[in-house]
Amino acid sequence: QVQLVESGGGSVQAGGSLRLSCAASGFTYGDYYMAWFRQAPGKEREGVACIGADGSTSYSDSVHGRFTISQDKVERTLSLQMNNLKPEDTAMYYCAAQRRSPYTSVWYCSRSSSTFKDWGQGTQVTVSS
C-alpha cells in the first residue's frame, strides 16, 4: 500500500525559504512519477512541480525559478525546496504519486491532480508579508 507522509511546512516571512519532504513507501520508486500540489482556501488544487522516474522535472509558471523538486531514490524521499517565498505561496502542500504505465516514458510526469491516485495528508505553508 502506497504511503506518502509530508513534513517541513511552517511559517516564514516573505523572501524566506522552506524545504518540504515527502517520505514514500509501499511501491517501487522507479515505477512511479511524483508531484507536489498545493491548495489554498477557496481555490482549486494546483500542481506546482512534478518529477519523472528519470528525474525530469516540470514546474508551474507561478513557482518556476523559485522552487526545486528533487527525489532521493535511496532514501525514498521527494523534496521541494522553496526559495523567495511570497504570501501567495500560502497553502496546504501535498505530495502525490502515480504508477507509470508500461507505455509511459521514464521522463513523463504530470501536474494534473486528476492523474494521481495516491496522496499524502498535506503540510501547511504560511508566508507572511
Side-chain angles (χ1 to χ4, degrees), residues 24-100:
S25 62
F27 62 95
T28 302
Y29 214 92
D31 290 345
Y32 280 66
Y33 54 87
M34 301 185 71
W36 285 99
F37 290 81
R38 67 185 181 187
Q39 189 166 21
K43 293 190 176 181
E44 291 188 358
R45 189 166 293 191
E46 174 191 11
V48 297
C50 68
I51 188 165
D54 73 342
S56 300
T57 59
S58 175
Y59 298 90
S60 67
D61 290 344
S62 60
V63 308
H64 194 274
R66 299 188 297 123
F67 291 11
T68 302
I69 188 172
S70 62
Q71 59 187 357
D72 184 328
K73 293 183 178 180
V74 174
E75 297 295 328
R76 301 181 61 84
T77 300
L78 180 73
S79 297
L80 185 68
Q81 177 67 42
M82 305 185 296
N83 298 329
N84 190 22
L85 283 161
K86 304 176 180 180
E88 52 263 42
D89 294 320
T90 295
M92 185 72 80
Y93 283 72
Y94 302 88
C95 71
Q98 179 61 40
R99 185 182 181 91
R100 184 171 55 87

